[in-house]
Amino acid sequence: MSFTSLYFMVFVFAVCVFYYLVPGKYQWVLLLFASYGFYAAQGLTCIVFLLAVTLTVYLSALSIGWQQEKADREGEKMLEEGASLEERKIYKAKKKKAAKYIVIVCLFVNLGILAVLKYLNFGIDNLNRIFSWIGYGKQVTYVDLLLPLGISFYMFQSLGYLLDVYWKRAKVQKNFFKYALFVSFFPQLGQGPISRYGALSKTLYGVHSLDGRKIFFGLERILWGVFKKLVIADRIGAAVQSLVSEPAYYRGVFVLVEMLFYAVQLYCDFTGGIDITIGTAQLFGIEVAENFLRPFFSKSIKEYWRRWHITMGTWFKDYVFYPFSISKPLRNLTSFVKRHFGISVAKRVSVYTATIVLWIATGIWHGAYWRFVMWGLMNGVIILVSEELEPLYGRFHKKFPALVKSTGYRAFMVIRTFLLMSSLRLFDNARGCRDAFISFRSIFTQWDLKALTVKELTDLGLAKADYLIVAVGVLLLVLVSLLQRKQPVREYLAKKPFMIQYLIVAGLFFSILLFGVYGVGYDSSGFIYNQF
């Protein structure tokens, strides 16, 4: 059930009507049934994995919470009985160790499920390559496995909750069905955002009365998301597909065209889906985390990753980078380097190792291909190089303060970051790492601006009118982004007379009807991030 389908719109409308008709204390129950009904529509087999993750994490968190409560009670009792500080520390350490084992087992089970479903064939493929290299005649047969919709998203969301409970950042949710709703809340099930329990639970279980302002805001956000997806992303996606399907032909200047077009497609596709998620949740009075903050206005790759897919970035930072950076193996490595090479090198080894591990993990999360591993590795390397060059940047900024503050220099930094990130995205669509590097090299070795003719562009599957529609749509995106720097656009519009608000929303609606890519014979590819 695609977010842009008529079935989804009817489904959301029906759920919304019943949501405000049932007694407030049962609203979350209705959402739970709706969420499982939505997921069942994707395939009943998917429910098995959703339930497995939900049940294992729920029971593990409940057990950890019980261990922690018992440790606190026994600690107070030992204090009253005059036990020494050392005895109490030993007891608490014992209980923490038991909780740690529970976390390890739960992580092993759930990440094992994800690894088998998502990466088993990747492992088999690499094993078969090794067999070929060493001359071993046999090959391992690939396994046809179903990858349930959004499993990476609800898996990470669940494991984040588990670790938050273990670290005492979140309270245990003892009601299984409420926890099940947190995992399965249908607007964010397919492509995120990856919510934190402490944030989402504030509005997820509450009683919500019908609020016309929130409903209108939600509908505006949904329409904006559908506009991005159907009018821009799906239209320009045809050209992107043509470019990536013939990499040997489309070299040089066409690689730049691919980079630009794919950046527009990916941004509109992903943010469009998130807009629909946030808007749909808002119809029910529920606040879901923002996932983008004008990333194409970033002046550095580090800033870009603070603005793009925010919840994924913070998840990897909080649950991969920080725990790994203080892990015993890395502390031992740091101590060894400090003794032999000094504290300056030791600090770099710690940060470099944790950063590279973080970005390799991020790359693997995006896809079971070496090109995604390389994509992640290169992101990490560029960030580390930028960190090392910070002192040089600082001296440059001090020497030329007027230049640094100028609009032209800021524009240069924004364009530089955009081109850098677009270059890395060549790994998204390439058949392999080698093809991505060849495509990038051709920008400098096979440059021929004259090859970029009107005929070549229209041969990509888009007519002149399509390019005009995309151009106007992108211009509208830029204008909205500029307005958002001062205040949210919906709040800005809310201050205008109702007729102006109505005309803008109606204009957006009819733009989707007139210019959206849909209809009989149209085969929607779905949202790009659904595959993760």
Side-chain angles (χ1 to χ4, degrees), residues 363-380:
I364 292 174
W365 179 83
H366 276 81
Y369 302 98
W370 283 111
R371 53 192 173 88
F372 282 115
V373 176
M374 180 59 71
W375 170 88
L377 181 62
M378 292 191 67
N379 268 282

Side-chain angles (χ1 to χ4, degrees), residues 148-180:
L149 173 69
I151 186 170
S152 293
F153 290 100
Y154 68 72
M155 178 77 76
F156 279 19
Q157 184 162 304
S158 301
L159 297 183
Y161 161 77
L162 175 72
L163 291 169
D164 282 344
V165 169
Y166 174 66
W167 291 327
K168 296 186 177 181
R169 294 176 182 172
K171 292 184 178 180
V172 178
Q173 174 52 262
K174 296 182 179 180
N175 186 318
F176 171 76
F177 298 103
K178 284 189 174 182
Y179 174 70

Side-chain angles (χ1 to χ4, degrees), residues 171-239:
K171 292 184 178 180
V172 178
Q173 174 52 262
K174 296 182 179 180
N175 186 318
F176 171 76
F177 298 103
K178 284 189 174 182
Y179 174 70
L181 175 59
F182 165 72
V183 179
S184 64
F185 184 46
F186 76 89
Q188 63 173 31
L189 196 58
Q191 58 180 351
I194 305 172
S195 296
R196 304 296 177 92
Y197 179 78
L200 184 58
S201 61
K202 290 178 181 178
T203 54
L204 185 61
Y205 310 121
V207 175
H208 301 284
S209 56
L210 188 63
D211 186 329
R213 179 184 173 88
K214 287 186 177 180
I215 294 289
F216 193 70
F217 272 19
L219 290 173
E220 284 180 322
R221 192 71 182 260
I222 292 171
L223 277 176
W224 183 232
V226 174
F227 175 85
K228 287 180 183 178
K229 170 65 175 171
L230 294 185
V231 177
I232 304 176
D234 284 358
R235 173 170 273 101
I236 204 168

Side-chain angles (χ1 to χ4, degrees), residues 165-355:
V165 169
Y166 174 66
W167 291 327
K168 296 186 177 181
R169 294 176 182 172
K171 292 184 178 180
V172 178
Q173 174 52 262
K174 296 182 179 180
N175 186 318
F176 171 76
F177 298 103
K178 284 189 174 182
Y179 174 70
L181 175 59
F182 165 72
V183 179
S184 64
F185 184 46
F186 76 89
Q188 63 173 31
L189 196 58
Q191 58 180 351
I194 305 172
S195 296
R196 304 296 177 92
Y197 179 78
L200 184 58
S201 61
K202 290 178 181 178
T203 54
L204 185 61
Y205 310 121
V207 175
H208 301 284
S209 56
L210 188 63
D211 186 329
R213 179 184 173 88
K214 287 186 177 180
I215 294 289
F216 193 70
F217 272 19
L219 290 173
E220 284 180 322
R221 192 71 182 260
I222 292 171
L223 277 176
W224 183 232
V226 174
F227 175 85
K228 287 180 183 178
K229 170 65 175 171
L230 294 185
V231 177
I232 304 176
D234 284 358
R235 173 170 273 101
I236 204 168
V240 172
Q241 185 58 38
S242 296
L243 288 164
V244 302
S245 63
E246 296 185 63
Y249 178 77
Y250 292 113
R251 298 289 195 200
V253 68
F254 287 103
V255 176
L256 278 180
V257 174
E258 177 193 336
M259 288 161 52
L260 174 62
F261 284 8
Y262 183 60
V264 172
Q265 180 197 12
L266 184 63
Y267 176 78
C268 291
D269 188 284
F270 197 7
T271 62
I274 294 297
D275 286 335
I276 296 172
T277 291
I278 293 173
T280 303
Q282 198 160 24
L283 295 179
F284 305 109
I286 296 167
E287 299 297 325
V288 174
E290 293 286 349
N291 219 19
F292 292 88
L293 186 61
R294 301 180 298 280
F296 290 154
F297 286 91
S298 303
K299 300 178 184 66
S300 68
I301 189 171
K302 193 172 182 180
E303 181 187 354
Y304 173 89
W305 281 113
R306 290 197 299 265
R307 292 166 170 256
W308 177 280
H309 205 341
I310 299 168
T311 58
M312 182 204 70
T314 55
W315 194 97
F316 275 100
K317 181 180 69 175
D318 292 345
Y319 302 115
V320 177
F321 180 83
Y322 288 139
F324 181 75
S325 63
I326 61 173
S327 64
K328 189 174 180 179
L330 193 56
R331 282 189 280 117
N332 290 340
L333 175 62
T334 304
S335 298
F336 174 82
V337 174
K338 182 179 178 182
R339 287 195 304 269
H340 293 82
F341 302 99
I343 189 170
S344 179
V345 177
K347 286 181 179 179
R348 282 175 168 80
V349 167
S350 176
V351 173
Y352 284 12
T353 305
T355 300

